[in-house]
Amino acid sequence: LSLHDALPIFLVIGGGIAGIQASLDLANRGTKVHLVEKTPSIGGRMAQLDKTFPTNDCSMCILSPKLVATGRHPNITILTNAEITGLKGKAGNFEVKLRKKSRYIIEDKCNGCGVCAQKCPIEVVDSYNEGLGKRSAIYVEYPQAVPLKYMIDREKCIGCGTCFEICKANAIKYDQEDSETTLKVGSIILAPGFESFDARLKSEYGYGRFANVVTSIE
């Protein structure tokens, strides 16, 4: 394919700060972008941080405007809770298959009011916050999450029906199934982020033995 024949649509894989900035840069040029993130919201590791190194600036103060801009940008389509399952084609003409995992919430109906989480009788360890707190079985990862759409943890949910009964938007769908879709794009940007270092591998630091030894994410 010549450059002229290439599809003028980008796929950005990874919704952390790198993927967000790449999407905004492209979208502000007038390019259509699909931003794919495997977790329920964009933001990545930066959304988990309190301060940024080395300036100690507020992490969310930097990230939040970018989250809002990404969520509102007419040229950006955000696909969260989604993973790549297939890829074929070549530069300028890719065909990408995605599996979007169920939230058990109808996203178009959920308005993010949070009443469901407030009334949910189940509390579980909050893995997003490194197990330092609790969350309900229906939740968003953090208050400024984009998209601000709740999700049911079906492994922890006891099926009591409380959220279904109190949701005025009628957004709860316990039997929702995963869905698959195919995107045709011209270019792909990989911004998969990173995995946190396992501090237990450095035993000399005392992580896991001393309560006041914590990782930067914690």
Side-chain angles (χ1 to χ4, degrees):
L1 291 178
S2 68
L3 184 62
H4 177 74
D5 295 326
L7 292 171
I9 304 173
F10 272 74
L11 173 66
V12 177
I13 302 175
I17 185 61
I20 288 171
Q21 189 62 60
S23 298
L24 286 172
D25 289 345
L26 290 166
N28 287 335
R29 286 185 358 181
T31 304
K32 297 291 185 182
V33 180
H34 294 290
L35 175 58
V36 175
E37 167 58 37
K38 67 179 181 179
T39 67
S41 56
I42 62 174
R45 292 294 185 187
M46 191 168 180
Q48 291 179 286
L49 297 175
D50 175 46
K51 300 289 193 300
T52 56
F53 179 84
T55 59
N56 276 342
D57 287 327
C58 165
S59 179
M60 190 51 70
C61 296
I62 299 170
L63 180 62
S64 186
K66 297 181 185 295
L67 292 173
V68 174
T70 303
R72 293 178 176 177
H73 206 296
N75 289 337
I76 299 176
T77 301
I78 300 175
L79 298 166
T80 53
N81 230 32
E83 293 185 337
I84 308 297
T85 59
L87 171 66
K88 63 181 182 180
K90 59 183 180 180
N93 189 12
F94 290 107
E95 187 174 284
V96 185
K97 290 186 176 181
L98 298 177
R99 174 177 289 272
K100 187 170 175 60
K101 296 180 181 179
S102 304
R103 286 178 181 265
Y104 306 102
I105 297 288
I106 302 172
E107 292 185 44
D108 290 342
K109 291 186 176 182
C110 179
N111 58 22
C113 70
V115 175
C116 54
Q118 295 171 14
K119 300 297 184 180
C120 178
I122 302 301
E123 281 193 340
V124 300
V125 174
D126 187 356
S127 58
Y128 181 81
N129 284 303
E130 301 298 315
L132 299 176
K134 297 289 186 72
R135 63 162 171 80
S136 60
I138 184 168
Y139 68 102
V140 288
E141 291 186 314
Y142 59 100
Q144 302 92 339
V146 173
L148 190 61
K149 307 293 182 181
Y150 278 73
M151 177 174 174
I152 297 176
D153 184 340
R154 291 296 280 161
E155 293 184 1
K156 306 298 182 181
C157 174
I158 62 173
C160 66
T162 299
C163 56
F164 181 83
E165 293 174 2
I166 66 174
C167 180
K168 294 183 179 180
N170 297 317
I172 308 298
K173 189 174 177 61
Y174 293 124
D175 60 351
Q176 188 181 60
E177 297 181 351
D178 294 353
S179 61
E180 294 186 348
T181 187
T182 299
L183 302 176
K184 292 186 177 182
V185 300
S187 302
I188 300 174
I189 292 179
L190 301 178
F194 65 92
E195 293 294 331
S196 294
F197 173 73
D198 187 350
R200 291 171 295 184
L201 299 177
K202 300 289 284 185
S203 59
E204 62 267 34
Y205 294 156
Y207 182 79
R209 291 186 290 121
F210 304 118
N212 61 344
V213 176
V214 297
T215 66
S216 60
I217 297 294
E218 289 173 337

